[in-house]
Amino acid sequence: MKRALITGVTGQDGSYLAEFLLRKGYEVHGIKRRSSSFNTGRVDGIFTDLHEYGNRFFLHFGDLSDTGSLWKLLHEIKPDEVYNLAAQSHVRVSFDIPESTGDITGMGAARLLEGIKQVGLADKCRFYQASSSEMFGAAEPPQHEGTVFHPRSPYACAKLFAHWLTINYRESYNMFAVSGILFNHESPRRGETFVTRKIARAVAQIKNNLQDKVYLGNLDSKRDWGFAKEYVEAMWLMLQQETPDDYVIGTGETHTVREFVEEAFGHVNLEWEKHVAFDPRYLRPAEVDALLADPSKARRQMGWEHQTGFHELVKLMVDAEMEAIAARRAGVTPVNGLHG
């Protein structure tokens, strides 16, 4: 039985990845930060669905800013695979807390990589680093593995540090260390402060007369949006290859935030212009105008392709929000946060 360790397991990607690996027969260990409130909503269903997952899922307290806790877990668990998904991942917030973003998103990867080396797992453990399309920033689209990076936020700079450090450990210590450069990937489990989930949630709230307006920033930003549940398979596939390499993961299509808004409101027969207002607070000091993946390498070498298109993704996110409101009114608590 393979053993995997996931940082950021309680997040969108971490919860989907944990479920995916458990279905593959793995023993899965996840790291969660100590908090004064419960933050395990996305993985609670794993503990209740023992028929499918068994008793092979374990949560541990730890933090990417705490070297000791990370190295201790690496020593005790001795994972075959490590997936580093944890980060301060909100791009706009990274401008407000650049030091913290650099410490968690950038140095967190350094602590893990050095820990794998120091506890004697360098030749046994395979490491996945969650890189980001934000590293491309102002680079001309479409963006592929050979595109020159031009980060435009503290978050992107921190991700770029972790990305190059992963390559450095691969080349310096012969570690099986890879980076997945994932373009925007969404789902009903996306955090509520991210624009796609914010829009989907607002649409459902407005349709149910629970709010009237949603405030957004730049509607002209273009992004390559896919379904997060499908993207975790690409993470796993990268660690199953014969040789370590880095891959761009995306759909190869780009759509504006405005298109997402139009599709979401149109799905429930609402006129978006009546409910969407501009708020300059959501603008970034340095904007990223267009991100568009060229995922041909992943398709060619791993056989990975996205299955869920843009329009289907928007609809499933809005439907999940509508179902959540109906469930709350019926007194039913959804498992894993929102279903999806």
Side-chain angles (χ1 to χ4, degrees):
M1 185 186 300
K2 282 189 176 181
R3 189 175 295 132
L5 176 63
I6 304 172
T7 72
V9 72
T10 59
Q12 170 190 254
D13 293 5
S15 63
Y16 281 128
L17 179 62
E19 292 169 357
F20 177 86
L21 293 176
L22 287 165
R23 293 190 191 105
K24 288 285 184 184
Y26 280 65
E27 178 181 299
V28 177
H29 296 258
I31 298 177
K32 68 170 184 174
R33 288 178 296 130
R34 174 69 178 90
S35 172
S36 60
S37 60
F38 292 108
N39 61 348
T40 59
R42 295 183 182 93
V43 296
D44 284 345
I46 295 176
F47 292 107
T48 59
D49 199 347
L50 296 179
H51 173 73
E52 182 171 7
Y53 302 119
N55 292 303
R56 292 179 286 111
F57 182 61
F58 307 91
L59 287 177
H60 308 268
F61 287 118
D63 197 295
L64 285 185
S65 65
D66 182 10
T67 302
S69 67
L70 297 177
W71 290 21
K72 180 175 182 286
L73 287 171
L74 287 168
H75 175 73
E76 292 176 350
I77 297 168
K78 294 181 174 57
D80 300 290
E81 298 172 0
V82 171
Y83 296 85
N84 183 31
L85 310 186
Q88 191 302 100
S89 58
H90 199 286
V91 178
R92 179 61 190 85
V93 172
S94 75
F95 285 97
D96 299 323
I97 51 171
E99 183 179 347
S100 175
T101 300
D103 185 38
I104 300 299
T105 307
M107 285 301 298
R111 295 179 182 109
L112 279 170
L113 286 163
E114 183 64 14
I116 290 170
K117 180 169 72 77
Q118 291 292 342
V119 301
L121 298 174
D123 61 342
K124 305 178 185 69
C125 176
R126 297 190 170 196
F127 177 82
Y128 172 85
Q129 168 60 27
S131 289
S132 169
S133 60
E134 287 286 335
M135 301 186 309
F136 291 119
E140 193 71 22
Q143 294 106 356
H144 53 80
E145 292 82 1
T147 300
V148 176
F149 298 114
H150 188 157
R152 299 267 286 171
S153 67
Y155 167 77
C157 292
K159 279 291 188 183
L160 189 55
F161 170 81
H163 176 82
W164 277 112
L165 196 68
T166 300
I167 294 173
N168 182 259
Y169 270 71
R170 180 168 74 216
E171 296 176 348
S172 300
Y173 305 112
N174 198 33
M175 290 174 58
F176 197 109
V178 307
S179 288
I181 308 174
L182 272 57
F183 280 61
N184 293 63
H185 45 292
E186 319 299 320
S187 78
R189 298 184 190 177
R190 191 59 142 149
E192 293 179 1
T193 60
F194 289 85
V195 68
T196 52
R197 177 78 189 284
K198 181 179 179 180
I199 293 166
R201 188 170 186 270
V203 166
Q205 294 273 101
I206 292 168
K207 185 66 176 178
N208 284 275
N209 299 311
L210 298 174
Q211 73 181 72
D212 181 57
K213 295 280 188 181
V214 59
Y215 294 88
L216 302 172
N218 185 5
L219 296 183
D220 296 318
S221 293
K222 296 179 180 179
R223 294 293 184 268
D224 184 327
W225 277 305
F227 186 23
K229 190 174 183 179
E230 298 168 356
Y231 282 39
V232 298
E233 181 182 11
M235 301 176 187
W236 175 77
L237 282 170
M238 290 179 210
L239 294 191
Q240 313 314 309
Q241 302 304 300
E242 289 187 12
T243 57
D245 206 347
D246 306 319
Y247 297 87
V248 161
I249 302 297
T251 70
E253 294 182 15
T254 188
H255 296 273
T256 64
V257 176
R258 189 186 310 276
E259 288 178 82
F260 198 104
V261 168
E262 292 170 347
E263 188 76 25
F265 278 87
H267 183 50
V268 295
N269 300 311
L270 289 174
E271 297 180 45
W272 71 270
E273 294 92 341
K274 294 181 179 181
H275 302 285
V276 175
F278 172 72
D279 190 332
R281 291 178 300 174
Y282 296 119
L283 294 177
R284 304 177 185 180
E287 288 287 343
V288 173
D289 296 323
L291 295 174
L292 173 61
D294 174 3
S296 55
K297 179 180 174 182
R299 181 170 57 249
R300 183 176 64 252
Q301 294 187 199
M302 301 193 301
W304 182 90
E305 289 189 78
H306 80 285
Q307 302 298 319
T308 304
F310 172 76
H311 303 290
E312 185 182 355
L313 173 64
V314 177
K315 290 174 182 177
L316 74 85
M317 290 184 68
V318 173
D319 287 345
E321 297 290 348
M322 294 288 286
E323 291 166 9
I325 291 175
R328 286 195 294 271
R329 286 176 169 170
V332 178
T333 302
V335 179
N336 287 0
L338 285 169
H339 295 291

